[in-house]
């Protein structure tokens, strides 16, 4: 139906709010609302409506001009218990009432529509979003639900438009359809340590969806909320902090508590908080002298990223070709290292002159380039060097003071 068209629809109310219901007509779900009457239908009612089609974002939407109740279908409106895996993989229950339970691994108020709260249920690599209509802010700060076990009764459907890459979600118009089965631990650090394989020292990222903790030294920070953490033994691991967490100082010894995630290329701990720990931080290893081209190509000169050095301390040499001031506290220097140009992110306030030959030591961070809008495929686009301090930037030769014209 076209926008503005008058329609007649008959179906069963599978979900209701104060001013609107979701009507299932046997083929699809239709959001029906009335601007004058609250609670105009109950879950399980079979109704016939005359309405006008309007533009909606999540599902089709119509505004009632008149309606009548013609029966009941309580069986169709009864919530069907399903697993998160089933919710993500089947369309057989689209626009039907479902009941789903799981661990909240992320929670926030929707940036596109602040009347909705989004609770993401584990597994973290492909979570199931649960959208709860909360225009009165009844639930308060959404982050309070992180690491809680919850049950939600709502309607299963698929995202459209800009969020189609997220696939499926469960939505409800009533906060009363949310039940907290088990609240999150009062102390986020009173959780199990992130386990490791005793033979390979690799982190066992697959978990039950709950928080894990790890103690180590902060090697580097970037992007306001990201950290490389070096444990006492084993390889560095990426940590993404919660947005309300300040960054710990580079070199400090901390414990982080967050959700393990195995992304396409790297093990991570995400949505994390941290606390200071006493004791000596881990000693720095000697930096590896690296030709950047060796990290970005194989022996046949074909592009092949050697991302095993992610989080490692390396040292490169090259000529400074440009500087870009990113903000008041951060600059990006670009170093011509022969066959490759390397980006250096630094908080240094006194920078070398363009044209200088530099030796720069820092933590190697491979850069992910998520093309989620079109394909959802994550690619690597090179690496950035993260110096620990200004002392990691050494001038080998200043630029010539005279240049022929």
């Amino acid at each position: 139906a076209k926008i503005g068209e008058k329609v007649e629809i008959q179906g069963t109310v599978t979900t209701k709010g104060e001013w609107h219901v979701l009507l299932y007509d046997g083929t699809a779900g239709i959001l029906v609302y009335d601007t004058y009457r609250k609670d105009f239908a109950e879950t399980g009612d079979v109704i016939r409506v005359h309405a006008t089609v309007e533009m909606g974002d999540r599902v089709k939407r119509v505004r009632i001009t008149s309606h009548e109740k013609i029966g009941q279908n309580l069986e169709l409106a009864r919530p069907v218990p399903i697993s998160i895996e089933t919710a993500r993989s089947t369309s057989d229950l689209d626009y039907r009432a479902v009941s789903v339970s799981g661990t909240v691994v992320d929670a926030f108020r929707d940036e596109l529509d602040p009347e909705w709260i989004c609770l993401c249920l584990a597994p973290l690599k492909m979570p199931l979003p649960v959208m709860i209509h909360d225009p009165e802010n009844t639930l308060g700060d959404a982050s309070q639900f992180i690491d809680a076990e919850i049950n939600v009764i709502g309607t299963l459907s698929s995202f459209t438009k800009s969020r189609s890459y997220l696939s499926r979600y469960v939505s409800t118009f009533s906060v009363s359809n949310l039940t907290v089965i088990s609240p999150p631990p009062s102390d986020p650090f009173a959780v199990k340590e992130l386990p490791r394989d005793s033979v390979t020292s690799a982190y066992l990222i697959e978990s039950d969806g709950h928080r894990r903790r790890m103690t180590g030294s902060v090697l580097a920070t970037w992007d306001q909320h990201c950290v490389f953490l070096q444990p006492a033994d084993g390889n560095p691991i990426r940590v993404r902090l919660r947005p309300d967490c300040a960054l710990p100082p580079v070199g400090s010894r901390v414990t982080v508590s967050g959700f393990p995630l195995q992304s396409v290329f790297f093990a991570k701990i995400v949505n994390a908080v941290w606390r200071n720990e006493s004791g000596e931080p881990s000693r720095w290893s000697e930096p590896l002298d690296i030709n950047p081209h060796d990290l970005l190509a194989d022996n046949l000169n074909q592009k092949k990223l050697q991302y095993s050095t992610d989080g490692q301390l390396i040292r490169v040499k090259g000529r400074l070709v440009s500087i870009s001031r990113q903000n008041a506290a951060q600059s990006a220097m670009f170093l011509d290292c022969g066959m490759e140009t390397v980006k250096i992110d630094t908080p240094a306030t006194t920078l070398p002159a363009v044209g200088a030959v530099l030796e720069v030591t820092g933590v190697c961070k491979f850069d992910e380039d998520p093309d989620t809008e079109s394909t959802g495929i994550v690619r690597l686009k090179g690496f950035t060097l993260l110096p620990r301090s200004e002392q990691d930037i050494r001038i080998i030769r200043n630029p010539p003071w005279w240049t022929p014209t």
Side-chain angles (χ1 to χ4, degrees), residues 224-241:
Q224 298 183 315
H225 304 298
C226 297
V227 171
F228 269 121
L229 189 71
Q230 175 66 65
D233 57 351
N235 295 325
I237 190 168
R238 293 177 175 225
V239 178
R240 189 175 75 234
L241 301 173

Side-chain angles (χ1 to χ4, degrees), residues 229-286:
L229 189 71
Q230 175 66 65
D233 57 351
N235 295 325
I237 190 168
R238 293 177 175 225
V239 178
R240 189 175 75 234
L241 301 173
R242 281 175 42 174
D244 56 350
C245 278
L247 287 170
V250 172
S252 60
R253 186 168 183 268
V254 302
T255 293
V256 300
S257 173
F259 296 91
L261 168 66
Q262 180 62 59
S263 67
V264 177
F265 298 101
F266 310 112
K268 303 176 182 180
I269 300 174
V270 301
N271 217 358
V273 293
W274 64 275
R275 69 181 182 191
N276 279 312
E277 295 291 347
S278 58
E280 291 294 320
S282 303
R283 297 183 62 180
W284 288 99
S285 58
E286 283 297 311

